[in-house]
Amino acid sequence: DLAERAHADLHLLHVDPNFRARLASTPGGSLDRAFQHRIEAFVNETLGADDAFDVLAPTVHEVHGEAPADGVLGYAEAIAADLVVMGTHGRRGLSRAMLGSVAAEVLRRSPAPLLVIPDGAEHTAPAPDRPVLVPIDFSAHTRPALRLAGALAGAYAAPLELVHVLEGTAETPLDLGGLLTVSDLRAGPGATARAVGHLALQRLAHDEAGP
């Protein structure tokens, strides 16, 4: 749905680490027909339409003999992906330590933004009554994250909500991480951290995501 709204190419990738074979892809490749049929059936069933795969017309790609995270990252870099979308099992504790987390590894090393869908999450896109939430910590990563979130909210005509969690009380001095200064915000010398934070969020929203 997002690819369609953004007029972007959609790529479906499967990484099988269990055996080595030459990389195959479509169009222009010799992708194993059994795998191709499996992907088509999966897409049609997931989207609830017999012609969903044909309508989407995605590029299908299969990688063999690589660790899942390496396969995802290598392909994302090869096609200069604008966004990587993954589901995750959401494993915690010992199971995560033993099995690892492909999504966490991709997130740590990804050259592109990563959209992660946790297992069990409600798979509903943003909408006018379903806002996009952006946690703000006033670090160097804040502005690019907010710009992307603003574009996502705009594509779905959804509200954009910014939140900053204060550590301490409303009177504790707020650390803006050098992203903004109190003088930038025209906050009075006696302004509380809550007031300064509110002004900072308003300023960021206006600068990076539009009025």
Side-chain angles (χ1 to χ4, degrees):
D1 185 59
L2 181 58
E4 183 177 17
R5 289 171 185 263
H7 305 289
D9 295 328
L10 182 65
H11 292 247
L12 305 181
L13 173 68
H14 175 71
V15 182
D16 186 347
N18 295 322
F19 65 94
R20 294 192 173 276
R22 72 176 184 83
L23 179 147
S25 63
T26 58
S30 56
L31 193 70
D32 180 77
R33 291 305 302 170
F35 175 77
Q36 177 77 15
H37 290 317
R38 181 183 175 192
I39 288 291
E40 292 177 6
F42 174 78
V43 170
N44 292 340
E45 179 183 359
T46 299
L47 300 183
D50 292 339
D51 61 347
F53 183 89
D54 294 331
V55 172
L56 286 175
T59 296
V60 179
H61 195 89
E62 186 178 22
V63 173
H64 297 283
E66 291 191 33
D70 291 338
V72 171
L73 291 163
Y75 188 68
E77 185 174 359
I79 65 170
D82 296 303
L83 180 69
V84 177
V85 182
M86 296 180 63
T88 177
H89 295 292
R91 296 188 179 98
R92 299 179 182 275
L94 183 60
S95 63
R96 175 169 175 173
M98 294 176 61
L99 299 173
S101 170
V102 176
E105 181 68 10
V106 172
L107 176 61
R108 187 176 67 84
R109 298 165 49 199
S110 178
L114 178 65
L115 175 59
V116 177
I117 311 300
D119 188 27
E122 184 178 352
H123 300 164
T124 304
D129 61 342
R130 296 183 61 86
V132 175
L133 178 65
V134 188
I136 300 292
D137 65 358
F138 300 111
S139 71
H141 308 291
T142 290
R143 289 190 186 275
L146 182 53
R147 284 194 291 269
L148 183 59
L152 179 63
Y156 288 93
L160 186 67
E161 296 193 5
L162 280 60
V163 61
H164 174 73
V165 180
L166 287 169
E167 297 186 28
T169 68
E171 287 70 37
T172 303
L174 180 64
D175 181 9
L176 296 174
L179 196 67
L180 296 167
T181 66
V182 174
S183 59
D184 290 333
L185 304 173
R186 298 180 180 176
T192 65
R194 183 181 298 278
V196 171
H198 186 71
L199 288 172
L201 292 177
Q202 287 182 318
R203 174 67 176 273
L204 285 173
H206 183 274
D207 290 351
E208 303 298 338

